[in-house]
Amino acid sequence: MQFAVIGNPITHSLSPLLHNSAFRTLGIKGYYGRYCLDNSENFSTLTSLKLKGANVTIPYKETAFSHCDEVFGIAKQIQAVNTLVFKENKLLGYNTDALGFYQCIEKFQFKNALILGAGGSAKAVACILKDKGITTTILNRSKERLESFIALGFQCSTYDNFFKQESYDIIINTTPSGLIQNSLPLEESKLKALLEDSKLAFDLIYGIQTPFLNLAKNLHIPTQDGKMMLINQAILAFEIFMDSLGITYHKNNLISSMQNAL
Ligand code: NDP
């Protein structure tokens, strides 16, 4: 049984490490690889790979959504999928990023949230927060990407027009700022004012201590990076793959194998 993560670039993806660790631990004969798709026009050629399932990453989550024969759950609102099942000549789509994120913060029972960034991952995070009854505001550098959030009923603002009028329980960085350049996602004074009144600073970036998380730490605000979100979305995707094939396994062993893989 072959599975893969599809994206471009794809060499950095940790998904093969997570899923192959689960296959080994659970004694399931499966292999999970990487596939670099050169452009979205070739998306339909993926069926020739004879995969049972796949994950999709930057920049193809929206393309994958539009190619699905059927889309399930919150992926319909997000209009992007990160998990695909190839079944009986049909392409089935799911989004496990959203619930993977929510599982990280569920225990805090936050009332409101502020998201920095308005890209694909911001949409997944915003939709699940809304679904769970958490009032969510989106703040983005440019205006264009906010349009689809406004259409979904979110309170939105560009950085230039933003003036803090209330406090937010959680501030979530969904921008790649801090990954590419060693910079903050938002002007330091504005960010400080937001963080000082918050209960958690969450960065979707994993594997590095970002300037955003450093600033929160200096202000003695609790922090969390994107590692658990990555693991959670992979566990949820693995469950979807195995369910579609009717394969049973011990869930606790799945969780520990993925947690120990990173
Ligand atoms: P997108 O490219 O779809 O969106 C990026 C967003 O960040 C845009 O709104 C963009 O604003 C903004 N942005 C980009 N650069 C800067 C900057 N220097 N300063 C301020 N804003 C900026 O990316 P994704 O949403 O797909 O991914 C974002 C991050 O989330 C990545 O770092 C990715 O690794 C991480 N991620 C982590 C996951 C996990 O499991 N932990 C899962 C998915 C993503 P503008 O519109 O103005 O260009």
Side-chain angles (χ1 to χ4, degrees):
M1 288 188 303
Q2 300 263 13
F3 300 82
V5 57
I6 295 153
N8 189 0
I10 202 63
T11 45
H12 67 285
S13 173
L14 296 174
S15 292
L17 200 65
L18 291 166
H19 286 266
N20 287 325
S21 165
F23 284 135
R24 258 194 320 276
T25 306
L26 302 173
I28 296 169
K29 281 190 183 137
Y31 175 74
Y32 189 110
R34 291 184 173 84
Y35 188 81
C36 185
L37 185 69
D38 52 358
N39 72 68
S40 58
E41 275 155 39
N42 292 337
F43 199 87
S44 39
T45 63
L46 291 175
T47 47
S48 66
L49 299 177
K50 305 282 175 221
L51 300 169
K52 296 287 184 202
N55 287 115
V56 184
T57 187
I58 292 172
Y60 299 125
K61 291 181 190 180
E62 284 88 3
T63 307
F65 173 86
S66 63
H67 278 77
C68 284
D69 295 297
E70 204 172 340
V71 173
F72 297 88
I74 197 145
K76 286 185 212 160
Q77 278 174 58
I78 304 167
Q79 306 218 319
V81 301
N82 75 321
T83 302
L84 293 172
V85 166
F86 298 80
K87 198 171 185 183
E88 293 156 6
N89 288 327
K90 287 220 159 114
L91 191 56
L92 313 180
Y94 307 78
N95 189 304
T96 68
D97 286 332
L99 189 57
F101 165 79
Y102 184 70
Q103 288 174 338
C104 297
I105 63 144
E106 197 170 7
K107 60 176 184 235
F108 298 111
Q109 301 192 315
F110 292 140
K111 297 270 184 294
N112 66 359
L114 181 83
I115 297 177
L116 301 171
S121 58
K123 181 75 76 58
V125 169
C127 287
I128 194 82
L129 290 175
K130 187 180 177 201
D131 205 53
K132 301 293 179 183
I134 299 172
T135 309
T136 304
T137 302
I138 325 290
L139 207 52
N140 195 48
R141 189 174 57 176
S142 68
K143 195 167 171 245
E144 293 70 26
R145 294 217 215 195
L146 289 172
E147 304 292 336
S148 67
F149 289 84
I150 292 167
L152 287 169
F154 289 100
Q155 180 78 35
C156 296
S157 174
T158 57
Y159 285 3
D160 293 345
N161 292 327
F162 179 73
F163 298 99
K164 182 173 168 281
Q165 287 164 342
E166 57 180 313
S167 59
Y168 301 93
D169 291 339
I170 175 171
I171 315 291
I172 307 151
N173 177 35
T174 72
T175 80
S177 172
L179 184 68
I180 304 160
Q181 322 102 323
N182 194 27
S183 61
L184 289 167
L186 171 68
E187 195 183 302
E188 185 167 343
S189 58
K190 283 188 179 175
L191 199 50
K192 255 187 176 170
L194 288 164
L195 286 169
E196 268 166 356
D197 280 346
S198 73
K199 296 175 184 156
L200 181 68
F202 195 109
D203 202 325
L204 262 57
I205 295 170
Y206 48 84
I208 57 163
Q209 183 69 19
T210 59
F212 171 74
L213 292 184
N214 273 332
L215 182 63
K217 260 196 182 140
N218 292 340
L219 296 167
H220 307 291
I221 305 301
T223 60
Q224 190 171 339
D225 76 359
K227 185 176 156 185
M228 264 324 288
M229 176 179 169
L230 179 78
I231 294 171
N232 290 345
Q233 64 75 28
I235 291 170
L236 292 164
F238 192 91
E239 288 174 345
I240 290 169
F241 295 151
M242 295 306 111
D243 280 357
S244 75
L245 295 162
I247 296 172
T248 55
Y249 52 88
H250 285 289
K251 184 155 177 186
N252 287 347
N253 293 345
L254 167 63
I255 295 169
S256 60
S257 70
M258 289 227 182
Q259 285 178 344
N260 294 335
L262 295 187

